[in-house]
């Protein structure tokens, strides 16, 4: 076959679905132009209409519940300072609603009558978020600041009578609090007093406004679906995840219909149903939605919740939007994001494996092997070990055009979920916190030793690749275990935890110190594990890529490691994109980056 990397990078995805107030119009995001833009459809697999025409990525779009208009979010050059815009469906006219480019705006939803919308923003003080409510036709500083926050606030929607907002405050990825804000008085009620780290996520109003459905790990290792009574603040279990996380719930507060998802070893298990009877924990379930691929989400209900839209993806299934009939589970594909003329049957499926680490911990991962050679021989192939960021993230069996390119070109691909990853319970996620950081790097070593024993893998052709925190993992694996690697690729990675914490955005420093350790208490330890201070051990060629506007991991992290590694005489390539932030979102940049990565690997592996 032998399609080049450009061709694979032109495989599209459609996601971020929202159903319009008439139920006959679907909006979604698609990256046909090279960056995600808003598109609309009025029927399954019709020709879609492009509605936004920017060089910058659109991050979400949400229809008004009452009018033919939607609000979408967009930042500039990857700086994550999203502004909110209104798009009129009939005329295509677009209005910048927030018009405060120096601040971040986090969407908080439409009121049920569509007259107002809510958001949180760090306009007043870069390090904290306040709650704002704005009339649909107001602009900029005409928004009302209804609550002053003292941390990382997001909104989870308006109460059924539009008198209250549900507010979430995050202290870390594994610790949140929920509040109800009375809009008339500004009074705030704390719903989730707790000690230690407890997750309270995906909150949704009950139809009667007297309770909240949410997922929590209060008193458990994994997330379960629960009902919180607003009067008593008691939490009752609705669905126990059976040893796996219930990831979240989408609930239509007019009909009581819902969809919740369980994350079972990385695969999505969706359940649709309807609340039943007077007991808020009782419900009926509908037949399971009939969706392809292994990972789905992003549910949006239509009017009366007769249907819902969601996106789905899999190893061999690029992301598309389906409409599901709630009561029957019948699914119909609406979007046709193309595969760039590459036959989908050539895509390779991953296998879930478990590797025993140094302390007998089982580390899950996904291994994908290229096709065997024409003569059926089992030639040894190089392997890319692709390490996720987060660190509280998870590799799942979803579509990756880059992965499929490398498989088509004779590489194997391994995606580990080392200790500290999300998806396997709070205990597993905490096993890499602060002083235990390097245990997760030891997991990578165990995975590589396992790969070296594999009969299809060339033990001298093992490549480390990772982005963000995964970039730190690449550098750490190359300094701690230099003999294992043929090459390393570090994308927007952390090289020095001290300078990273000093220079990251004020709005997220506290969140990250909860995971990595604080500059005040742990500076010496953070210095000792920073790859920049062990750079003399790097033995393999290194490629460092970064976005100049990165607000999370400042570009100085890339400059430091490149300069130091070059001084050691290591072959180093560097590629900095002036119009990108934390990651590469624009097709032309992704194309340039991966062409160079392919060239780098051809040279060294």
């Amino acid at each position: 076959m032998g399609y080049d990397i450009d061709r694979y990078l032109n495989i599209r995805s459609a996601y971020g679905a929202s159903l319009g107030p008439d139920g006959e119009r679907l909006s979604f995001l698609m990256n046909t132009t090279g960056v995600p833009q808003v598109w609309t459809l009025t029927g399954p697999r019709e020709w879609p209409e492009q509605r936004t025409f920017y060089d910058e990525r659109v991050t979400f779009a949400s229809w008004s519940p009452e009018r033919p208009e939607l609000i979408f979010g967009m930042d500039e050059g990857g700086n994550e300072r999203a502004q909110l815009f209104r798009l009129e469906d009939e005329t295509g006219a677009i209005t910048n609603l927030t018009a405060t480019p120096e601040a971040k705006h986090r969407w908080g939803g439409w009121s049920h009558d569509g007259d107002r919308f809510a958001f949180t923003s760090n306009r007043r003080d870069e390090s904290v978020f306040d709650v704002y409510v704005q009339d649909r036709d107001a602009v900029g500083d005409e928004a009302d600041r209804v609550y002053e926050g003292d941390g990382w606030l997001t909104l989870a929607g308006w109460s059924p009578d539009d008198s209250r907002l549900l507010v979430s405050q995050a202290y870390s990825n594994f610790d949140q609090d929920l509040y109800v804000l009375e809009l008339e008085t500004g009074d705030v009620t704390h719903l989730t007093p707790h000690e230690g780290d407890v997750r309270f996520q995906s909150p949704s109003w009950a139809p009667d406004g007297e309770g909240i459905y949410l997922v929590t790990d209060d008193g458990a290792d994994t997330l379960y679906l629960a009902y919180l009574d607003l009067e008593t603040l008691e939490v009752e279990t609705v669905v126990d995840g059976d040893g796996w996380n219930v990831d979240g719930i989408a609930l239509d507060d007019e009909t009581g219909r819902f969809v919740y998802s369980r994350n079972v070893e990385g695969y999505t298990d969706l359940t649709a149903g309807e609340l039943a009877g007077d007991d808020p924990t009782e419900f009926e379930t509908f037949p399971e939605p009939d969706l392809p691929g292994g990972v789905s989400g992003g549910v949006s209900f239509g009017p009366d919740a007769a249907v819902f839209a969601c996106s789905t993806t899999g190893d061999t299934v690029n992301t598309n939007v389906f409409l599901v009939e709630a009561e029957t589970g019948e699914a119909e594909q609406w979007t046709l994001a193309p595969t760039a003329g590459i036959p989908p049957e050539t895509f390779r499926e991953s296998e879930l494996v478990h590797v025993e680490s140094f302390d007998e911990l089982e580390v899950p991962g996904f291994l994908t092997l290229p096709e065997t050679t024409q003569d059926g021989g089992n030639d040894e192939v190089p392997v890319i070990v692709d390490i996720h960021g987060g660190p509280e993230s998870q590799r799942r069996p979803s579509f990756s055009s880059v992965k499929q390119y490398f498989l088509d070109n004779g590489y194997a691909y391994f995606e580990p979920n080392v200790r500290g990853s999300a998806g396997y319970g709070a205990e597993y996620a905490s096993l890499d916190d602060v002083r235990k950081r390097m245990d997760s790097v030891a997991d990578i070593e165990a995975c590589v030793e396992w790969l070296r024993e594999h009969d299809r893998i060339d033990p001298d052709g093992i490549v480390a690749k990772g982005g963000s925190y995964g970039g730190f993992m690449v550098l750490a694996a190359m300094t701690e275990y230099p003999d294992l690697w043929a090459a390393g690729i570090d994308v927007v990675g952390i090289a020095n935890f001290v300078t990273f914490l000093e220079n990251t955005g004020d709005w997220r420093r506290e969140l990250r110190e909860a995971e990595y350790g604080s500059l005040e208490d742990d500076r010496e330890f953070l210095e000792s594990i920073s790859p920049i201070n062990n750079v003399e051990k790097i033995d393999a060629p290194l490629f460092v890529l970064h976005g100049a506007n990165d607000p999370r991991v400042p570009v100085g992290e890339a400059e430091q490691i490149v300069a130091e590694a070059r001084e050691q005489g290591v072959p180093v390539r560097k590629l900095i994109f002036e119009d990108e932030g934390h990651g590469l979102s624009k097709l032309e940049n992704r194309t340039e980056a991966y062409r160079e990565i392919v060239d780098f690997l051809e040279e060294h592996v």
Side-chain angles (χ1 to χ4, degrees), residues 9 82 87 93 104-105 173 225 247 302 396 432 512 522 535:
L9 290 172
L87 167 69
K104 298 167 74 73
H105 300 85
N173 286 358
L225 181 60
D247 267 350
R396 302 183 67 170
D432 71 337
R512 296 333 292 148
D522 305 294
V535 73

Side-chain angles (χ1 to χ4, degrees), residues 316-470:
T316 62
V317 179
N318 63 318
T319 310
N320 270 295
V321 175
F322 285 69
L323 255 60
V324 180
E325 245 179 61
E327 286 183 28
T328 64
E330 279 177 31
E332 184 168 30
Q333 184 172 341
W334 268 51
T335 63
L336 285 172
T339 59
I342 300 172
E345 55 273 18
T346 64
F347 299 146
R348 307 284 296 168
E349 194 94 40
S350 67
E351 179 195 358
L352 174 64
V353 299
H354 295 85
V355 176
E356 192 176 293
S357 193
F358 66 93
D359 55 359
E360 298 185 352
L361 184 76
E362 293 270 307
V363 173
F366 293 95
L367 175 65
T368 318
L369 295 169
E371 247 180 312
T372 49
T373 49
Q374 294 297 340
D375 55 10
N378 263 350
D379 293 350
E380 287 185 345
V381 295
V383 61
I384 294 171
V385 179
D386 192 349
I387 309 163
H388 69 68
E392 311 105 333
S393 175
Q394 182 187 24
R395 271 303 156 84
R396 302 183 67 170
S398 52
F399 188 79
S400 160
S401 56
V402 168
K403 176 167 77 173
Q404 294 297 337
Y405 166 80
F406 282 116
L407 290 162
D408 190 39
N409 282 271
Y411 287 82
Y413 218 85
F414 185 69
E415 300 162 281
N417 284 315
V418 297
R419 72 189 68 206
S421 299
Y424 307 96
E427 188 189 346
Y428 190 83
S430 70
L431 291 177
D432 71 337
D433 288 359
V434 192
R435 303 288 166 130
K436 298 179 280 197
R437 179 71 40 216
M438 301 314 278
D439 289 355
S440 62
V441 185
D443 288 345
I444 295 293
E445 186 215 13
C447 290
V448 171
E449 294 297 356
W450 181 86
L451 287 166
R452 289 172 76 141
E453 298 295 308
H454 196 288
D455 61 0
R456 291 282 314 272
I457 302 297
D458 172 4
D460 298 323
I462 299 180
V463 177
K465 173 181 181 290
S468 185
Y469 172 80

Side-chain angles (χ1 to χ4, degrees), residues 127-158:
S127 63
V128 298
F129 287 80
D130 300 329
V131 179
Y132 292 81
V133 168
Q134 185 169 330
D135 288 346
R136 56 173 280 281
D137 48 8
V139 172
D141 53 17
E142 293 168 12
D144 290 328
R145 186 166 70 224
V146 292
Y147 179 69
E148 286 195 3
D150 61 357
W152 180 273
L153 299 189
T154 51
L155 295 173
W158 300 69

